[in-house]
Amino acid sequence: KDNPLTVQKLITAIFLFIVGIWVSRRATRALEQRVLNRLPLPVGTASILKSLTYYLTLALATLVALKVADVPLTLFAFLGGALAIGLGFGSQHIISNFISGLILLIERPIQEGDQIEYSANNVGTVIRIGPRCTHVRTGNNIDIFIPNSFLLQNNVVNRTRTDDKVRVQVTVPVQYGSTTRE
């Protein structure tokens, strides 16, 4: 079946795509106002659900616009393959961190509450070991999220693994000629 792409089909597809963007925004806003605001969800979870709703409805609108314009979807097979390869390469770090998180939770070289030195005199207390990263809080009350694979691939000093007592060395500069008692 030979259906050439005409100007009318192209204008119809563009119009449907623009309508799809509008519908996606309205559906996302309605989901937020009528459902998500009434549920006791964390802000991050609500944001993820809003994004997923927007992108799924936008993808559906795009597919409808292409179908109405009789654009064969086989044209996008090459792009889909390239996208799949890109997702595969991109997700290898996520999978690596997830497996590393499982290893940390099973082997327990570090645990919540441990004081660790994770790189070049960076010290902090482990707050939580998550599926992708470990939450560490420094002595200056700064939260750092370290990928789990980093903690397995690099040297990590656990200062409180066997004992809660920690020795700290403090250097106090003294001017020459000062009395030692002062």
Side-chain angles (χ1 to χ4, degrees):
K1 168 179 163 181
D2 189 20
N3 287 332
L5 184 63
T6 63
V7 175
Q8 181 183 2
K9 288 180 182 178
L10 185 63
I11 291 173
T12 303
I14 291 172
F15 174 74
L16 287 174
F17 181 71
I18 291 171
V19 169
I21 292 173
W22 180 78
V23 168
S24 297
R25 288 181 180 164
R26 296 279 299 185
T28 304
R29 197 174 304 128
L31 175 74
E32 180 181 21
Q33 292 171 350
R34 295 187 180 151
V35 178
L36 297 179
N37 287 340
R38 295 179 183 176
L39 295 175
L41 295 174
V43 176
T45 305
S47 176
I48 289 170
L49 289 174
K50 284 183 349 190
S51 295
L52 282 174
T53 302
Y54 177 75
Y55 289 120
L56 286 176
T57 54
L58 188 61
L60 183 64
T62 303
L63 288 174
V64 168
L66 291 173
K67 185 70 175 166
V68 167
D70 283 334
V71 175
L73 297 180
T74 56
L75 290 176
F76 298 100
F78 178 74
L79 293 175
L83 180 66
I85 290 171
L87 287 173
F89 281 123
S91 66
Q92 74 182 8
H93 293 293
I94 294 171
I95 299 298
S96 171
N97 285 321
F98 179 74
I99 300 294
S100 297
L102 290 176
I103 292 171
L104 287 173
L105 290 171
I106 292 170
E107 284 187 1
R108 299 177 61 93
I110 60 172
Q111 300 174 35
E112 291 181 6
D114 284 351
Q115 188 179 65
I116 62 170
E117 183 176 337
Y118 48 91
S119 67
N121 294 327
N122 289 325
V123 178
T125 303
V126 176
I127 303 299
R128 182 178 163 273
I129 299 172
R132 190 192 65 79
C133 63
T134 298
H135 179 189
V136 175
R137 185 168 292 144
T138 67
N140 294 331
N141 205 28
I142 297 172
D143 291 335
I144 299 175
F145 299 92
I146 304 170
N148 289 329
S149 60
F150 177 87
L151 294 172
L152 288 181
Q153 294 171 358
N154 296 293
N155 291 334
V156 176
V157 176
N158 191 337
R159 294 182 172 184
T160 56
R161 175 144 173 90
T162 57
D163 192 2
D164 289 341
K165 296 177 187 166
V166 178
R167 179 171 41 169
V168 178
Q169 185 176 6
V170 179
T171 305
V172 179
V174 177
Q175 190 175 21
Y176 286 109
S178 300
T179 59
T180 55
R181 215 173 265 289
E182 290 178 3

